[in-house]
Amino acid sequence: MDVLTVQAIQDAGLADWSKLSTALHARYLVGSLAEGLGFAQAVAEVSAGHDPEVRATSTFVDLKLTTPGAVDSDGDVRTTVTQLDVDVARSISELAAARGLKADLDGIFLVELGLDTHDADEIGPFWAALLTGDAANYKNHLEVVDPTGRAPDLWFQKTSEHETPRQRFHYDLWMPIAQAPARIEAAVAAGGTITFAEYESFTVLTDAQGNNACICTIQGR
């Protein structure tokens, strides 16, 4: 299936869901583990074989939807959001509403790690083996992806060759577009500084000792 543009996803009107990086994410609040597991089972029944990734707890259920083998406008094949994901997300939202479950938009976020390097291929297999146990999980000369979802995704940011700087790792925190400004405001109030905000898609925040982190959204991508 074809990859959906950011605008198409926003136009779909999925009030409970947000696209973070490559997938649609939602969180619904539940009153017990039994209720969470019951909701997860009902989700499996309405997903028509396109089962989301589900994490059920005693207070919330997290869901993630994506399509492997999606084709983008350049003809490249990758894992991301298609119309199938949007359709399943809409069905899950209807299911949640019928059960009286509230969506928690503030609970939707995704943490990735970024590592500056002039040669990702030189170190990528090492980090894949370290984080996932298999060097083959270094993908596309760009990133390490744990197929079990236990380790955060690690991507490599291209730099020129240089002496080791003080900071090479940084956090990327993916958030829904509407929730990102409040998180940025909270970080600044806690002693951070906005050091780069020229693009809609990410804002660089720096702590009092010069360490950087990015808050990312799909806006403008």
Side-chain angles (χ1 to χ4, degrees), residues 24-37:
L24 287 175
H25 295 258
R27 171 174 286 186
Y28 292 97
L29 301 178
V30 296
S32 66
L33 180 58
E35 185 179 26
L37 292 174

Side-chain angles (χ1 to χ4, degrees), residues 124-146:
F126 163 81
W127 283 103
L130 179 70
L131 294 175
T132 74
D134 187 349
N137 288 321
Y138 170 58
K139 307 288 187 181
N140 306 316
H141 305 282
L142 176 66
E143 61 187 342
V144 173
V145 178
D146 180 3

